[in-house]
């Protein structure tokens, strides 16, 4: 049985950039539903005892396991996503070792964020934008719907949820405003650095 992971901050911690109302629905309803659906789908099967990553790998591109894949991958993606955000009150610089890698691979932090934003904006419909590490190199990628970056042999450093349920209550249809607000105020650079092995 999977359990909804505890949020690493209070529901109000991301205001005004992400409201408690959004977290109440996005974490408390959507993320919870992925956990509940996954548990129902794997109950009594061999997958019930497996690690989440193994369930995702084994159900990936399997026509008869599409619902399992969608729910498992969304549990995994959201587990990462909440940790990619930090409270509005917690000011944070990009750790110098990570900044060095970003400068090396993108030229500057601004270039990286601009590429990240293009990925987030050009994902048609639901999906995710990612800062990942491939070998020793950082790169930006995007995935559709529940699809998840680690299946492509990369290590996710940051995940950004661009499903409408991520921003509709606070920003309605303005995905660009949502992405900018996250980039300018809520990114957890310490988490990204830790994922990069720094
Ligand atoms: Mn979501």
């Amino acid at each position: 049985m999977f359990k909804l992971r505890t949020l690493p901050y209070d529901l109000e911690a991301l205001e005004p950039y992400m409201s408690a109302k959004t977290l109440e629905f996005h974490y408390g309803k959507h993320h919870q539903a992925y956990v509940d659906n996954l548990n129902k789908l794997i109950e009594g099967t061999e997958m019930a005892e497996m690690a989440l990553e193994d369930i995702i790998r084994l159900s990936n591109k399997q026509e008869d396991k599409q619902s399992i894949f969608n729910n498992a991958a969304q549990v995994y993606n959201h587990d990462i996503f909440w940790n990619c955000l930090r409270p509005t009150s917690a000011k944070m610089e990009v750790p110098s070792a990570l900044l060095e890698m970003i400068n090396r691979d993108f030229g500057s932090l601004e270039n990286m964020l601009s590429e990240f934003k293009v990925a987030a904006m050009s994902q048609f419909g639901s999906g995710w934008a990612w800062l990942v590490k491939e070998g020793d190199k950082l790169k930006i990628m995007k995935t559709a719907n529940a699809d998840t970056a680690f299946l492509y042999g990369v290590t996710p450093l940051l995940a950004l949820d661009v499903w409408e349920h991520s921003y509709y209550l606070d920003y309605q249809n303005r995905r660009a405003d949502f992405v900018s607000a996250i980039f300018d105020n809520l990114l957890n650079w310490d988490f990204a650095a830790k994922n990069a092995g720094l």
Side-chain angles (χ1 to χ4, degrees):
M1 286 279 280
F2 289 96
K3 272 193 185 149
L4 181 65
R5 284 215 202 154
T6 309
L7 262 192
Y9 33 71
D10 295 336
L11 290 178
E12 296 78 21
L14 308 180
E15 290 193 339
Y17 309 107
M18 191 183 286
S19 66
K21 193 89 184 154
T22 285
L23 279 177
E24 202 179 298
F25 279 88
H26 193 179
Y27 168 73
K29 306 287 184 200
H30 291 284
H31 191 179
Q32 179 75 64
Y34 296 131
V35 172
D36 293 344
N37 290 337
L38 175 63
N39 283 330
K40 269 183 226 147
L41 288 162
I42 62 175
E43 192 181 0
T45 75
E46 57 182 5
M47 284 186 169
E49 304 304 319
M50 288 182 189
L52 188 58
E53 287 88 339
D54 292 332
I55 295 173
I56 293 167
R57 278 192 202 94
L58 286 171
S59 60
N60 185 27
K61 299 195 188 338
Q62 303 298 307
E63 229 169 87
D64 59 333
K65 297 190 173 62
Q66 208 165 13
S67 292
I68 294 177
F69 175 82
N70 286 337
N71 286 284
Q74 282 293 77
V75 171
Y76 177 89
N77 291 340
H78 286 85
D79 284 348
I80 295 182
F81 179 53
W82 303 127
N83 282 291
C84 294
L85 308 177
R86 43 94 176 159
T88 307
S89 59
K91 297 297 171 211
M92 193 182 285
E93 303 280 315
V94 183
S96 57
L98 178 60
L99 189 57
E100 258 174 50
M101 287 185 82
I102 290 172
N103 287 337
R104 182 196 68 190
D105 295 339
F106 297 93
S108 68
L109 180 63
E110 289 65 34
N111 287 352
M112 187 279 278
L113 289 173
S114 143
E115 206 179 307
F116 203 164
K117 187 164 186 177
V118 167
M121 293 308 296
S122 62
Q123 174 53 44
F124 184 74
S126 297
W128 296 80
W130 307 82
L131 171 65
V132 301
K133 194 172 159 204
E134 184 174 48
D136 189 44
K137 200 174 157 34
L138 301 184
K139 67 171 200 176
I140 299 292
M141 60 183 286
K142 59 182 176 177
T143 57
N145 300 314
D147 197 12
T148 186
F150 87 85
L151 290 169
Y152 299 86
V154 301
T155 306
L157 307 193
L158 290 174
L160 179 63
D161 187 342
V162 294
W163 284 56
E164 274 187 358
H165 67 216
S166 199
Y167 55 88
Y168 208 80
L169 291 177
D170 296 329
Y171 299 89
Q172 292 74 52
N173 60 328
R174 305 188 312 276
R175 187 189 288 189
D177 291 352
F178 161 73
V179 173
S180 294
I182 299 281
F183 284 0
D184 293 345
N185 304 286
L186 298 179
L187 286 182
N188 188 338
W189 295 109
D190 288 348
F191 181 72
K194 192 185 78 180
N195 291 334
L198 301 170

